[in-house]
Amino acid sequence: AAGREEPPLGLEAVAEEAAAAAAASAGFRLTAVRREPAVRLQHGASGLEPLAWSEDHRVSVSTARSIAVLEQLSDVHSGGQDMVIHRTAVPAPGAACMLKVGPKKEVAECKEKFASSVDPTVSQTFMLDRVFNPEGKSLTPMRGFKYSSWSPLGCDANGRCLLAALTMDNRLTIHANLNRLQWVQLVDLTELYGERLFEASYKLCKADTPCGELGDFPEFQRRHSMQTPVRMEWSGICTTQQVKHNNECRDVGSVLLAVLFENGNIAVWQFQLPFLGKESITSCNTIESGISSPSVLSWWEYEHNNRKMSGLIVGSAYGPVKIIPVNLKAVKGYFTLRQPVVLWQEMDQLPVHSIKCIPLYHPYQKCSCSLVVAARGPYVFWCLLLISKAGLNVHNSHVTGLHSLPIVSMTADKQNGTVYTCSSDGKVRQLIPIFTDVALKFEHQLIKLSEVFGSVRTHGIAVSPCGAYLAVITTEGMANGLHPVNKNYQVQFVTLKTFEEAAAQLLESSVQNLFRQVDLTDLVRWKILKDKHIPQFLQEALDKKIESCGSTYFWRFKLFLLRILYQSMQKAPSEVTWRPSHEDAKILISDSPGMGSTEDDQEEGTSKQASKQSLGDTGKGVDIDDTGEDSLHQSSDTGGREPMVEKLLEIQAQIEAVEMHLTREHMKRVLGEVYLHTWITENTSIPTRGVCDFLMSDDGYDDRTARVLIGHILKKMNKQTFPEHCSLCKEILPFTDRKQAVCSNGHIWLRCFLTYQSCQSLVYRRCLLHDSIARHPTPEDPEWIKRLLQGPCTFCDSPVF
């Protein structure tokens, strides 16, 4: 830790001993457990920091041919204990990226001139520079990705994260995953920035001296270096003010993308949200950092007395680290530094490989502070930034003796400030910041991945958003003193929290959104599926929360636990579920005895249809021969139900009760919006009368708030009903079911779970876990209905596609 005597560099035994002593003094011990499955990559990992984990639980892996994206799901409809991963990929562009440094004809002439130059310093520099020659020719072509970066949650059209990708040949693009199967390139920022520079004659401002001729080799190099990206990082979401035609101001969400170039310049792009493409770009400003050979970039965002400050932390390949002021025009509540702040100024030739900025709360100073952590060779440089009455206080030092090899990857859990570093020999260090009166110190301990995965080499690490998992890119290590013949790149997962820690964090969550805590819910899911019961302490704590707090979050958490418990008690199907049956005899579900109502046969992702060998009302698509002796109906027909069947029926009844409670709570919210935003005679496209009647139909449901609200709405509506009509036969669609609408002629339409309107179009949306469906907003919908339709699933908090 900082301030103690440093052990000599390279003495691994001393470093491990120090780590063991620090861990013992802190009284913590991390037990890393392997989590299946390991995902094999089709191509080798490429670039620096090849692994990144987004806020919406997607892991991007930069490889030599594509970016592999692994999306973690906490699937309530799967009984398997393995982690559920949905895999997609962002392919590398087919054509090489040629930076725009002038007119095409002139550039081709200059390249020919430099390649055939009699001066070897020009010809060899030109031929061997991959920025000038990305296609390779005599060299191997530049394929693959150098770096990827995830935006904050809420930036694309679905309210999820965008992916900024930088290829080896310096093409910077932004991608979105709008339909869950295919990634779409929204904009090519390298092309746009090149056009801007071309129009400005490659001058950053009008006061700049005129640039030289493209035929001069230094000018040719300058034009390339000023648009060769090194790294890019997203800021947090901020609010800008937009002036409308009637001079009214409205708040618009925006996000910034800072791009660091080879010559030290930083381009700050501002995008209006949701980001849809080129038309969403608000501005682009270029800042000169003054740092030579820049290597890494990170945002510094600090909040002090409700004033937000921002800047960009830039690291150099020679060692210095400093914060550059960023002047954010039209951004509400943001201020910036007056001048750059140098965090480390020594040109000690230790390249800055990775920088993380973590917002923390100082327990002694009783205020917020920023912890900047940078990987410099085998060391970790740290800097504590604190604003007091005296101004900006800067404390910095190095943590040494962590690794005997250079740090290849670093990641941080921003919730508690824990930092993880790894070297290529398969050793990961966990560094926990502990505040002191003056600054802070780090307690650290060693995680030997060889004890979890066997002998491996590591190429990158990333921690999940809530700190439950560590993702690691590994290849085979040495066996019997020999290196492996072939390298198989895998992404493997290690647990960093216990089930008890994950459950406690979910119960005390300030986010109160299950989707944003998928890594924690997955740990809980794994435990329940293994033990086949919900631990008593968790049940009791959750019941207390439900009694004391009116939040529906705890009801959704309870529904999640019940669904997982239901899955854990299901008997595995005796046959492979996807294999077609060759039996000729088929029986329609509607004609099959004891197969439940039509409502339960719908293809909705409730817990009822999660398993084929389930209770009777989950028999959709099941042949008579498939049920066999394991069918629960058989046991119920032959003299009394078995204890397991009784338990399943009890859990299913609890699931239906919780789902009904959540439905009623959302119905109250919808009716509240209807009451606030509609005139007496306006048809809102929401079946208001049907929802009111549905809420009042159950005599056992006695909610005074709902009754008062319904009374006001019915008084406002007078005798008007605005019934829904079937688009096929024009008959009235009664509201007798919260999930579907059935007209008198038997036509069935599923209901939108956000507005309860029947979805009578061929195209509709579905939530991530297939819990429910929602209709698309139409141009005629008022703003408040469009706002309702942007909401997540009322059962699982997941977004809707």
Side-chain angles (χ1 to χ4, degrees):
R4 91 171 51 151
E5 187 178 347
E6 298 179 2
L9 182 64
L11 295 182
E12 194 174 331
V14 176
E16 290 184 15
E17 221 173 283
S25 65
F28 64 84
R29 183 66 62 188
L30 175 66
T31 305
V33 179
R34 182 174 184 164
R35 185 78 169 97
E36 295 292 350
V39 180
R40 185 168 176 174
L41 300 175
Q42 295 174 324
H43 307 283
S46 64
L48 298 171
E49 296 285 353
L51 210 56
W53 206 318
S54 72
E55 290 180 15
D56 60 353
H57 304 279
R58 292 184 284 189
V59 182
S60 63
V61 192
S62 301
T63 72
R65 291 293 182 272
S66 64
I67 293 181
V69 182
L70 314 175
E71 181 175 2
Q72 182 189 6
L73 300 175
S74 189
D75 194 354
V76 294
H77 311 307
S78 169
Q81 292 185 21
D82 287 357
M83 188 185 289
V84 181
I85 293 174
H86 180 257
R87 183 169 177 166
T88 50
V90 181
C97 174
M98 308 300 293
L99 299 178
K100 190 175 181 63
V101 293
K104 284 186 178 180
K105 186 178 179 183
E106 189 179 349
V107 171
E109 291 172 356
C110 289
K111 286 187 174 183
E112 186 68 30
K113 171 187 168 184
F114 299 141
S116 58
S117 173
V118 293
D119 185 354
T121 60
V122 174
S123 59
Q124 290 187 23
T125 303
F126 173 79
M127 293 300 292
L128 294 175
D129 195 312
R130 303 314 303 271
V131 178
F132 304 150
N133 298 294
E135 291 175 328
K137 295 183 179 177
S138 58
L139 305 171
T140 55
M142 296 287 284
R143 294 294 303 274
F145 287 86
K146 188 188 299 185
Y147 189 66
S148 64
S149 178
W150 290 98
S151 77
L153 195 62
C155 290
D156 75 354
N158 290 323
R160 301 193 72 184
C161 299
L162 297 166
L163 179 64
L166 178 60
T167 60
M168 284 290 190
D169 57 4
N170 303 304
R171 188 194 302 269
L172 175 59
T173 51
I174 297 179
H175 302 260
N177 180 210
L178 300 177
N179 60 5
R180 294 202 65 232
L181 296 176
Q182 181 184 13
W183 285 87
V184 179
Q185 179 181 308
L186 298 179
V187 69
D188 185 338
L189 292 181
T190 297
E191 183 183 343
L192 290 180
Y193 195 68
E195 289 173 359
R196 284 171 177 262
L197 290 175
F198 179 74
E199 291 168 1
S201 301
Y202 298 93
K203 295 187 294 184
L204 293 180
C205 60
K206 294 180 181 178
D208 283 358
T209 56
C211 57
E213 294 295 325
L214 186 61
D216 299 333
F217 192 59
E219 175 64 18
F220 188 79
Q221 287 178 307
R222 185 187 77 89
R223 293 191 186 184
H224 277 88
S225 68
M226 72 189 303
Q227 52 182 315
T228 303
V230 178
R231 288 283 181 97
M232 66 288 178
E233 294 294 342
W234 296 89
S235 74
I237 293 178
C238 46
T239 307
T240 56
Q241 281 196 334
Q242 190 179 64
V243 181
K244 296 162 74 174
H245 294 297
N246 58 358
N247 286 333
E248 285 185 7
C249 287
R250 73 182 185 106
D251 290 345
V252 177
S254 63
V255 70
L256 305 170
L257 179 68
V259 185
L260 178 65
F261 294 103
E262 204 175 62
N263 67 344
N265 291 346
I266 303 170
V268 180
W269 296 86
Q270 186 173 12
F271 305 129
Q272 184 175 320
L273 300 181
F275 183 74
L276 303 174
K278 192 174 178 180
E279 64 274 12
S280 299
I281 298 174
T282 307
S283 64
C284 176
N285 299 309
T286 304
I287 305 167
E288 295 186 48
S289 71
I291 285 190
S292 57
S293 295
S295 59
V296 69
L297 178 76
S298 180
W299 277 95
W300 175 62
E301 293 175 317
Y302 185 89
E303 190 166 350
H304 174 67
N305 290 343
N306 296 324
R307 297 182 67 179
K308 295 177 182 177
M309 300 190 73
S310 65
L312 284 164
I313 310 168
V314 184
S316 167
Y318 296 142
V321 181
K322 70 177 181 180
I323 302 179
I324 310 298
V326 178
N327 187 17
L328 302 180
K329 296 177 180 178
V331 178
K332 288 178 63 179
Y334 271 80
F335 300 86
T336 190
L337 299 166
R338 293 179 183 173
Q339 58 189 12
V341 176
V342 178
L343 305 182
W344 184 256
Q345 61 182 359
E346 300 296 329
M347 300 279 284
D348 49 17
Q349 305 300 314
L350 279 176
V352 184
H353 169 259
S354 177
I355 294 179
K356 303 294 178 188
C357 184
I358 309 162
L360 294 174
Y361 180 79
H362 201 300
Y364 297 103
Q365 302 291 335
K366 307 293 184 187
C367 65
S368 56
C369 59
S370 292
L371 175 61
V372 177
V373 186
R376 303 180 69 243
Y379 310 125
V380 169
F381 166 76
W382 64 266
C383 182
L384 187 66
L385 299 169
L386 184 71
I387 294 179
S388 66
K389 292 178 181 178
L392 182 65
N393 298 326
V394 179
H395 302 272
N396 60 19
S397 184
H398 281 77
V399 185
T400 59
L402 296 174
H403 298 278
S404 56
L405 294 173
I407 295 170
V408 296
S409 186
M410 182 174 71
T411 184
D413 180 358
K414 293 195 175 183
Q415 292 197 337
N416 56 17
T418 305
V419 178
Y420 299 89
T421 60
C422 87
S423 53
S424 60
D425 56 1
K427 292 177 180 173
V428 177
R429 288 277 181 181
Q430 181 193 44
L431 289 86
I432 299 178
I434 297 175
F435 284 95
T436 62
D437 292 337
V438 181
L440 56 77
K441 63 179 182 178
F442 284 94
E443 298 289 0
H444 50 87
Q445 66 171 315
L446 178 68
I447 306 171
K448 285 187 178 179
L449 295 180
S450 58
E451 296 176 357
V452 184
F453 303 127
S455 177
V456 291
R457 294 180 67 84
T458 46
H459 304 271
I461 57 173
V463 68
S464 62
C466 297
Y469 289 116
L470 186 74
V472 191
I473 300 178
T474 63
T475 52
E476 295 87 344
M478 293 181 68
N480 299 323
L482 299 173
H483 289 283
V485 178
N486 297 314
K487 281 186 179 179
N488 293 309
Y489 286 85
Q490 289 185 316
V491 179
Q492 308 208 58
F493 297 92
V494 173
T495 62
L496 297 176
K497 291 184 186 292
T498 62
F499 161 75
E500 290 76 15
E501 290 171 330
Q505 198 169 329
L506 284 166
L507 286 170
E508 301 301 327
S509 168
S510 59
V511 178
Q512 298 214 342
N513 185 294
L514 292 175
F515 171 71
R516 294 183 64 177
Q517 303 174 94
V518 161
D519 50 342
L520 296 174
T521 59
D522 186 71
L523 271 180
V524 174
R525 171 182 170 272
W526 187 26
K527 173 77 171 176
I528 295 174
L529 287 174
K530 281 196 299 185
D531 296 350
K532 298 189 184 301
H533 77 276
I534 302 171
Q536 189 65 28
F537 84 91
L538 180 55
Q539 279 187 331
E540 292 174 356
L542 187 56
D543 290 340
K544 284 181 182 176
K545 287 283 185 183
I546 288 173
E547 288 176 12
S548 61
C549 177
S551 172
T552 55
Y553 163 74
F554 297 108
W555 285 91
R556 291 193 296 274
F557 188 22
K558 183 176 182 178
L559 177 63
F560 169 79
L561 296 177
L562 289 171
R563 286 170 160 182
I564 299 303
L565 180 62
Y566 187 85
Q567 286 300 325
S568 71
M569 294 186 173
Q570 295 292 325
K571 193 166 185 178
S574 55
E575 294 184 10
V576 182
T577 52
W578 54 263
R579 185 174 296 155
S581 172
H582 299 290
E583 297 292 333
D584 294 331
K586 301 287 180 183
I587 296 181
L588 291 174
I589 299 167
S590 56
D591 298 331
S592 178
M595 281 297 180
S597 65
T598 318
E599 172 197 346
D600 299 320
D601 297 333
Q602 292 305 310
E603 191 185 351
E604 291 195 12
T606 60
S607 59
K608 296 181 185 179
Q609 87 289 350
S611 171
K612 198 162 80 170
Q613 301 289 336
S614 179
L615 294 178
D617 52 7
T618 60
K620 180 180 180 182
V622 179
D623 301 335
I624 285 295
D625 295 335
D626 288 343
T627 55
E629 295 179 359
D630 294 334
S631 173
L632 298 174
H633 288 289
Q634 297 240 343
S635 62
S636 63
D637 292 340
T638 56
R641 295 186 175 94
E642 298 174 3
M644 180 62 75
V645 180
E646 293 283 358
K647 183 69 175 172
L648 283 169
L649 288 169
E650 180 188 337
I651 297 169
Q652 191 177 22
Q654 292 178 358
I655 289 172
E656 289 175 355
V658 176
E659 283 184 353
M660 182 59 77
H661 175 84
L662 290 169
T663 301
R664 285 168 173 159
E665 289 299 309
H666 185 66
M667 281 181 172
K668 282 160 57 178
R669 185 188 163 208
V670 172
L671 290 178
E673 294 285 337
V674 169
Y675 182 72
L676 289 175
H677 293 99
T678 58
W679 298 102
I680 298 172
T681 58
E682 183 185 4
N683 187 354
T684 66
S685 82
I686 286 179
T688 309
R689 176 77 68 169
V691 172
C692 291
D693 292 344
F694 182 82
L695 277 176
M696 301 291 285
S697 61
D698 187 358
D699 297 331
Y701 177 64
D702 187 18
D703 187 322
R704 187 174 182 277
T705 306
R707 293 185 179 277
V708 170
L709 179 62
I710 289 170
H712 285 305
I713 287 175
L714 294 181
K715 186 177 180 182
K716 196 176 188 181
M717 290 181 70
N718 201 354
K719 294 181 180 179
Q720 298 176 86
T721 56
F722 300 121
E724 288 184 290
H725 293 273
C726 176
S727 61
L728 294 179
C729 62
K730 307 305 178 188
E731 289 293 325
I732 290 178
L733 287 172
F735 199 111
T736 55
D737 192 338
R738 59 194 170 95
K739 293 182 182 177
Q740 64 182 19
V742 184
C743 77
S744 56
N745 290 326
H747 299 131
I748 302 172
W749 308 102
L750 299 176
R751 288 200 178 278
C752 167
F753 73 100
L754 291 171
T755 64
Y756 298 105
Q757 186 185 13
S758 59
C759 293
Q760 299 190 43
S761 61
L762 294 175
V763 183
Y764 52 81
R765 301 178 299 150
R766 201 166 192 180
C767 83
L768 188 66
L769 296 184
H770 290 184
D771 261 337
S772 6
I773 70 159
R775 69 179 180 88
H776 282 279
T778 60
E780 306 83 50
D781 286 336
E783 285 299 320
W784 63 274
I785 287 187
K786 289 178 180 175
R787 216 168 39 243
L788 272 177
L789 289 169
Q790 289 173 356
C793 177
T794 53
F795 296 136
C796 62
D797 284 333
S798 63
V800 186
F801 298 91

CSV table of all heavy atoms in Angstrom, one decimal, residues 212-231:
chain,number,residue,atom,x,y,z
A,212,GLY,N,0.9,23.2,-44.8
A,212,GLY,CA,1.8,23.1,-45.9
A,212,GLY,C,1.1,22.3,-47.1
A,212,GLY,O,-0.1,21.9,-47.0
A,213,GLU,N,1.9,21.9,-48.0
A,213,GLU,CA,1.4,21.2,-49.2
A,213,GLU,C,1.4,19.7,-48.8
A,213,GLU,O,2.2,19.2,-48.1
A,213,GLU,CB,2.3,21.4,-50.4
A,213,GLU,CG,2.3,22.8,-50.9
A,213,GLU,CD,1.0,23.2,-51.5
A,213,GLU,OE1,0.3,22.3,-52.1
A,213,GLU,OE2,0.6,24.4,-51.3
A,214,LEU,N,0.4,19.0,-49.4
A,214,LEU,CA,0.3,17.5,-49.1
A,214,LEU,C,1.5,16.8,-49.6
A,214,LEU,O,1.8,15.7,-49.1
A,214,LEU,CB,-1.0,17.0,-49.8
A,214,LEU,CG,-1.4,15.5,-49.5
A,214,LEU,CD1,-1.6,15.3,-48.0
A,214,LEU,CD2,-2.6,15.1,-50.3
A,215,GLY,N,2.2,17.3,-50.6
A,215,GLY,CA,3.4,16.6,-51.2
A,215,GLY,C,4.6,16.6,-50.2
A,215,GLY,O,5.5,15.9,-50.4
A,216,ASP,N,4.5,17.5,-49.1
A,216,ASP,CA,5.6,17.4,-48.1
A,216,ASP,C,5.3,16.3,-47.2
A,216,ASP,O,4.2,16.2,-46.6
A,216,ASP,CB,5.6,18.8,-47.4
A,216,ASP,CG,5.9,19.9,-48.3
A,216,ASP,OD1,6.6,19.7,-49.3
A,216,ASP,OD2,5.5,21.1,-48.0
A,217,PHE,N,6.3,15.4,-46.9
A,217,PHE,CA,6.0,14.3,-46.1
A,217,PHE,C,5.6,14.6,-44.7
A,217,PHE,O,4.7,14.0,-44.1
A,217,PHE,CB,7.3,13.4,-46.1
A,217,PHE,CG,7.0,12.0,-45.5
A,217,PHE,CD1,6.0,11.2,-46.0
A,217,PHE,CD2,7.7,11.6,-44.4
A,217,PHE,CE1,5.8,9.9,-45.5
A,217,PHE,CE2,7.5,10.3,-43.8
A,217,PHE,CZ,6.5,9.5,-44.4
A,218,PRO,N,6.2,15.7,-44.0
A,218,PRO,CA,5.7,16.0,-42.6
A,218,PRO,C,4.3,16.5,-42.6
A,218,PRO,O,3.6,16.1,-41.7
A,218,PRO,CB,6.7,17.2,-42.3
A,218,PRO,CG,7.9,17.0,-43.1
A,218,PRO,CD,7.4,16.4,-44.4
A,219,GLU,N,3.8,17.2,-43.7
A,219,GLU,CA,2.4,17.6,-43.7
A,219,GLU,C,1.5,16.4,-44.0
A,219,GLU,O,0.4,16.2,-43.4
A,219,GLU,CB,2.2,18.6,-44.9
A,219,GLU,CG,0.8,19.0,-45.1
A,219,GLU,CD,0.1,19.7,-43.9
A,219,GLU,OE1,0.9,20.2,-43.1
A,219,GLU,OE2,-1.1,19.8,-43.9
A,220,PHE,N,2.0,15.4,-44.8
A,220,PHE,CA,1.3,14.2,-45.0
A,220,PHE,C,1.1,13.4,-43.7
A,220,PHE,O,0.0,12.9,-43.4
A,220,PHE,CB,2.0,13.4,-46.0
A,220,PHE,CG,1.3,12.1,-46.5
A,220,PHE,CD1,0.3,12.2,-47.5
A,220,PHE,CD2,1.6,10.9,-46.1
A,220,PHE,CE1,-0.3,11.1,-48.0
A,220,PHE,CE2,1.0,9.7,-46.5
A,220,PHE,CZ,0.0,9.9,-47.5
A,221,GLN,N,2.2,13.4,-42.9
A,221,GLN,CA,2.1,12.7,-41.6
A,221,GLN,C,1.2,13.4,-40.6
A,221,GLN,O,0.4,12.8,-39.9
A,221,GLN,CB,3.5,12.6,-41.0
A,221,GLN,CG,4.4,11.6,-41.6
A,221,GLN,CD,5.8,11.6,-41.0
A,221,GLN,OE1,6.4,12.6,-40.9
A,221,GLN,NE2,6.3,10.4,-40.6
A,222,ARG,N,1.2,14.8,-40.6
A,222,ARG,CA,0.4,15.6,-39.7
A,222,ARG,C,-1.1,15.4,-40.0
A,222,ARG,O,-1.8,15.2,-39.0
A,222,ARG,CB,0.8,17.1,-39.9
A,222,ARG,CG,0.1,18.0,-38.9
A,222,ARG,CD,0.3,19.4,-39.2
A,222,ARG,NE,-0.5,19.9,-40.3
A,222,ARG,CZ,-1.7,20.4,-40.2
A,222,ARG,NH1,-2.3,20.5,-39.0
A,222,ARG,NH2,-2.4,20.8,-41.2
A,223,ARG,N,-1.5,15.3,-41.3
A,223,ARG,CA,-2.9,15.2,-41.6
A,223,ARG,C,-3.4,13.8,-41.2
A,223,ARG,O,-4.6,13.6,-40.9
A,223,ARG,CB,-3.1,15.4,-43.1
A,223,ARG,CG,-2.9,16.8,-43.5
A,223,ARG,CD,-3.3,17.1,-44.9
A,223,ARG,NE,-3.0,18.4,-45.4
A,223,ARG,CZ,-3.4,18.9,-46.6
A,223,ARG,NH1,-4.1,18.1,-47.4
A,223,ARG,NH2,-3.0,20.1,-47.0
A,224,HIS,N,-2.5,12.8,-41.2
A,224,HIS,CA,-2.9,11.5,-40.8
A,224,HIS,C,-3.0,11.4,-39.3
A,224,HIS,O,-4.0,10.8,-38.7
A,224,HIS,CB,-2.0,10.4,-41.3
A,224,HIS,CG,-2.3,9.9,-42.7
A,224,HIS,ND1,-1.7,10.6,-43.8
A,224,HIS,CD2,-3.0,8.9,-43.2
A,224,HIS,CE1,-2.2,10.0,-44.9
A,224,HIS,NE2,-3.0,9.0,-44.5
A,225,SER,N,-2.0,11.9,-38.6
A,225,SER,CA,-2.0,11.8,-37.1
A,225,SER,C,-3.1,12.6,-36.4
A,225,SER,O,-3.6,12.2,-35.4
A,225,SER,CB,-0.6,12.3,-36.6
A,225,SER,OG,-0.5,13.7,-36.7
A,226,MET,N,-3.6,13.7,-37.1
A,226,MET,CA,-4.7,14.5,-36.5
A,226,MET,C,-6.0,13.8,-36.6
A,226,MET,O,-7.0,14.3,-36.1
A,226,MET,CB,-4.7,15.9,-37.1
A,226,MET,CG,-5.2,16.0,-38.5
A,226,MET,SD,-4.9,17.6,-39.2
A,226,MET,CE,-5.8,18.7,-38.0
A,227,GLN,N,-6.1,12.7,-37.3
A,227,GLN,CA,-7.4,11.9,-37.4
A,227,GLN,C,-7.2,10.4,-37.2
A,227,GLN,O,-8.1,9.7,-37.7
A,227,GLN,CB,-8.1,12.3,-38.7
A,227,GLN,CG,-7.3,12.1,-40.0
A,227,GLN,CD,-8.1,12.4,-41.2
A,227,GLN,OE1,-9.2,12.1,-41.4
A,227,GLN,NE2,-7.4,13.2,-42.1
A,228,THR,N,-6.1,10.0,-36.6
A,228,THR,CA,-5.9,8.6,-36.2
A,228,THR,C,-6.4,8.4,-34.8
A,228,THR,O,-5.7,8.8,-33.9
A,228,THR,CB,-4.4,8.2,-36.4
A,228,THR,OG1,-4.0,8.5,-37.7
A,228,THR,CG2,-4.3,6.8,-36.1
A,229,PRO,N,-7.5,7.8,-34.5
A,229,PRO,CA,-8.0,7.6,-33.1
A,229,PRO,C,-7.1,6.6,-32.4
A,229,PRO,O,-6.7,5.6,-32.9
A,229,PRO,CB,-9.4,7.1,-33.3
A,229,PRO,CG,-9.8,7.2,-34.8
A,229,PRO,CD,-8.5,7.2,-35.5
A,230,VAL,N,-6.9,7.0,-31.1
A,230,VAL,CA,-6.2,6.1,-30.2
A,230,VAL,C,-7.1,5.4,-29.2
A,230,VAL,O,-7.1,4.2,-29.0
A,230,VAL,CB,-5.1,6.9,-29.4
A,230,VAL,CG1,-4.4,6.0,-28.4
A,230,VAL,CG2,-4.1,7.5,-30.3
A,231,ARG,N,-8.0,6.2,-28.6
A,231,ARG,CA,-9.1,5.6,-27.7
A,231,ARG,C,-10.3,6.5,-27.8
A,231,ARG,O,-10.2,7.7,-28.2
A,231,ARG,CB,-8.6,5.6,-26.2
A,231,ARG,CG,-7.5,4.6,-25.9
A,231,ARG,CD,-8.1,3.2,-25.7
A,231,ARG,NE,-7.1,2.3,-25.3
A,231,ARG,CZ,-6.9,1.9,-24.1
A,231,ARG,NH1,-7.6,2.4,-23.1
A,231,ARG,NH2,-6.0,1.0,-23.9
